[in-house]
C-alpha cells in the first residue's frame, strides 16, 4: 500500500523549487502542525517542510489529521485560486490595463516582461493543480487515507 505522506512528498519534490518553497511557505503559515519559527531560515524552506511531513508517515489519528488538513489547506490556498486560467483573469486584466495605459510609457517594457512571467506562472500553476487533483483522487483520497489509517491503528489493510 502506498503511504500518502510519501506520495505527497514525492509529488511536491517533482515541482519547481519556486513552487515547492511557495507551497511550503503558505501551508506552513496556516497548518497547525507546522507551527515552527525556524522553518524559513535561508534556503531551507522546502527541506525543513519535508522533514516535518516525513515525521508523520504513520497513519495514527494525529498524522491522519495532518494530511487531511494539508489537503484542505492546499485546496483553499492553491487549487481554488490557481487551477484554471480563468481564475487568474483579474490579475491578467490588471496587467493588461497597465501595459496598454498610454500615460505609463516608461513602465511598458517592464510590464511586458511581467506579463510574460505572469503567463508562465499561470500555466505552471494550472499544471500543478491538475497534478494535485490526480494525487488527491489517488493516494490522498478518503479511501486511501482510510486504508493507511486502519493499517496502522488496527494492524491490517482493508
Amino acid at each position: 500500500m502506498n503511504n500518502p505522506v510519501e506520495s505527497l512528498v514525492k509529488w511536491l519534490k517533482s515541482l519547481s523549487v519556486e513552487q515547492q518553497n511557495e507551497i511550503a511557505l503558505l501551508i506552513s503559515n496556516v497548518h497547525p502542525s507546522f507551527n515552527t519559527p525556524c522553518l524559513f531560515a535561508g534556503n531551507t524552506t522546502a527541506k525543513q517542510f519535508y522533514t516535518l511531513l516525513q515525521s508523520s508517515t504513520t497513519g495514527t489519528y494525529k498524522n491522519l489529521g495532518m494530511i487531511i488538513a494539508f489537503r484542505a489547506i492546499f485546496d483553499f490556498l492553491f487549487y481554488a485560486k490557481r487551477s484554471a486560467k480563468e481564475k487568474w483573469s483579474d490579475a491578467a486584466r490588471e496587467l493588461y490595463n497597465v501595459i496598454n495605459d498610454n500615460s505609463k510609457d516608461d513602465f511598458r517594457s517592464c510590464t511586458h516582461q511581467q506579463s510574460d512571467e505572469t503567463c508562465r506562472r499561470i500555466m505552471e500553476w494550472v499544471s500543478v493543480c491538475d497534478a494535485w487533483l490526480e494525487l488527491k483522487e489517488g493516494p490522498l483520497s478518503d479511501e486511501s487515507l482510510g486504508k493507511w489509517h486502519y493499517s496502522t491503528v488496527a494492524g491490517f489493510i482493508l
Side-chain angles (χ1 to χ4, degrees):
M1 175 181 56
N2 288 339
N3 183 307
V5 176
E6 291 170 0
S7 296
L8 174 60
V9 170
K10 181 180 177 183
W11 176 77
L12 286 166
K13 287 182 176 182
S14 75
L15 305 176
S16 73
V17 172
E18 175 186 23
Q19 292 163 337
Q20 291 177 51
N21 285 329
E22 191 169 343
I23 290 168
L25 178 68
L26 291 175
I27 290 197
S28 296
N29 278 301
V30 176
H31 199 298
S33 294
F34 299 134
N35 188 9
T36 177
C38 64
L39 184 62
F40 306 109
N43 289 331
T44 60
T45 301
K47 183 179 178 186
Q48 290 185 36
F49 186 65
Y50 296 137
T51 300
L52 291 169
L53 280 173
Q54 290 168 326
S55 68
S56 305
T57 57
T58 61
T60 63
Y61 284 106
K62 182 178 179 179
N63 294 339
L64 179 65
M66 184 279 303
I67 200 80
I68 291 170
F70 183 102
R71 192 176 66 178
I73 293 166
F74 188 94
D75 280 345
F76 179 78
L77 294 176
F78 294 95
Y79 190 80
K81 296 173 176 72
R82 302 179 184 199
S83 61
K85 287 187 266 186
E86 299 77 31
K87 295 182 181 191
W88 292 76
S89 61
D90 290 341
R93 187 173 24 262
E94 187 172 324
L95 193 55
Y96 176 83
N97 289 337
V98 170
I99 289 171
N100 292 298
D101 184 346
N102 291 331
S103 67
K104 302 192 187 286
D105 284 336
D106 51 338
F107 292 113
R108 279 189 175 195
S109 64
C110 178
T111 53
H112 278 292
Q113 289 173 340
Q114 196 173 9
S115 178
D116 292 344
E117 177 66 14
T118 300
C119 290
R120 179 192 64 80
R121 284 183 47 85
I122 289 170
M123 297 315 296
E124 285 178 355
W125 278 107
V126 169
S127 178
V128 167
C129 289
D130 288 345
W132 168 254
L133 193 56
E134 207 173 291
L135 183 70
K136 196 172 113 172
E137 292 173 350
L140 299 185
S141 68
D142 287 348
E143 181 182 352
S144 292
L145 292 176
K147 287 179 181 178
W148 173 61
H149 170 67
Y150 289 118
S151 70
T152 299
V153 174
F156 63 89
I157 298 175
L158 296 175

